[in-house]
Amino acid sequence: MSLYSIFCGNFHQLRNSIGSCSSTGLLKCGLLYRTVLQNRGNKTRPISTTILARSTRKESKQSFKTSRHLHSESVESSIEVLKQSDLEHLKSLQCYNIPQKVSGVKTDWPATILVFDIETTGFSRRYERIIEFAVRDLMGGKNSTIQTLINPEREIKNAYVHGISSSMVCKPDIPRFREFIPILLQYVLSRQMADKPVLWVAHNGRSFDVPFLMYEFQRSKIEMPGDWLFVDTLPIARQLIGSDGEKLKSVSLDNLREHYKIPLAGSAHRAMQDVITLCYVLQKLTFELKLTVPQLLERSFRVSDLSTPRPGK
DNA sequence: GGCCCTCTTTAGGGCCTT
């Protein structure tokens, strides 16, 4: 099975999903939250988040609100992800002649493919923290996306990069990463197929996103599921430099987006925007290089393949 | 930090991620 054949269905679904958002402006998901509740004695605690993008780009400034109420059985989140103008822009995306029908059924897929991205307080996985997390299941459909701010419990000095300031996240109603992990685990379980792995996809994931994730899990003293596999699109993109060097001189996500003429939806360097970009870039890369899903799985790695952090760090 | 390239391999610089 080629990845492109999967994308044929999923990017149509992605487009439809984005289109459906434009009518409501909201994505809603309900997730069990028992682990957190156990830790907090079943107390109800409202969590709300308001985000404004970087002020230097007024024309693309976006906002969304997240509200979540922890309850004895469930937690609900409402996320206004994009402005109407951004969504109309997304709807105009050309989907590379993707057929209208979904090829295959979910149970035929060899893995659940989750494209994710993080924003952080800096580059050091040891000393910096995650402040935003976004993920999209390529299968699409209801509850296929999660996006949230994270409280790093420290000052943010690189707000000029992503527009996320200390005042936006360093407050009690923004979840810390250890509080977000149960939500993430429940989300993955809701997307995972029986006896099949989860394949996480990130750009420069091996050196950046995955180590950050690993450190956050270790600091939270929660073990990462053993069937989580990761694939890095950076070395895949580098293969194109060898075969298409005249056209592709840089393999940054921004350059890949420009190379493939993918319109920028909202502000770059925000987690969900980069996830959406990477979804399209992944489709183009695997199509050009004729990469199948099994080949992608062969290139995957586990957190145990990465260097282990020193205790207490 | 990991990977890649070259003026290389007993090394060093640049890219990529925020």
Side-chain angles (χ1 to χ4, degrees), chain A residues 174-188:
Chain A
I174 302 297
R176 297 145 185 85
F177 200 87
R178 63 178 178 273
E179 296 172 319
F180 172 63
I181 286 177
I183 298 176
L184 182 63
L185 293 174
Q186 185 60 40
Y187 162 80
V188 175

Side-chain angles (χ1 to χ4, degrees), chain A residues 88-104:
Chain A
E88 291 300 323
H89 188 53
L90 273 172
K91 287 170 66 179
S92 69
L93 282 173
Q94 296 300 311
C95 290
Y96 313 110
N97 298 317
I98 293 173
Q100 297 298 301
K101 291 185 179 179
V102 176
S103 58

Side-chain angles (χ1 to χ4, degrees), chain A residues 150-194:
Chain A
I150 303 292
N151 183 349
E153 299 181 292
R154 63 177 55 196
E155 183 183 2
I156 296 175
K157 297 180 179 179
N158 61 341
Y160 63 92
V161 174
H162 35 58
I164 302 172
S165 63
S166 300
S167 62
M168 293 163 60
V169 295
C170 295
K171 48 189 182 182
D173 56 348
I174 302 297
R176 297 145 185 85
F177 200 87
R178 63 178 178 273
E179 296 172 319
F180 172 63
I181 286 177
I183 298 176
L184 182 63
L185 293 174
Q186 185 60 40
Y187 162 80
V188 175
L189 283 176
S190 72
R191 311 303 302 184
Q192 191 169 10
M193 295 168 282

Side-chain angles (χ1 to χ4, degrees), chain A residues 233-264:
Chain A
T233 51
L234 187 62
I236 295 175
R238 280 182 175 141
Q239 287 183 239
L240 287 179
I241 290 184
S243 61
D244 196 15
E246 292 301 315
K247 294 181 181 178
L248 190 62
K249 296 188 181 301
S250 165
V251 290
S252 69
L253 190 60
D254 279 343
N255 194 66
L256 289 168
R257 181 184 56 75
E258 292 177 4
H259 176 70
Y260 290 127
K261 297 180 173 53
I262 300 169
L264 179 63

Side-chain angles (χ1 to χ4, degrees), chain A residues 14-15 33 35 61 95 136 144 155 164-165 202 207 290 309:
Chain A
L14 171 60
R15 189 184 187 188
Y33 206 46
T35 305
K61 183 185 295 183
C95 290
R136 176 181 288 277
S144 62
E155 183 183 2
I164 302 172
S165 63
S207 299
K290 298 179 174 58

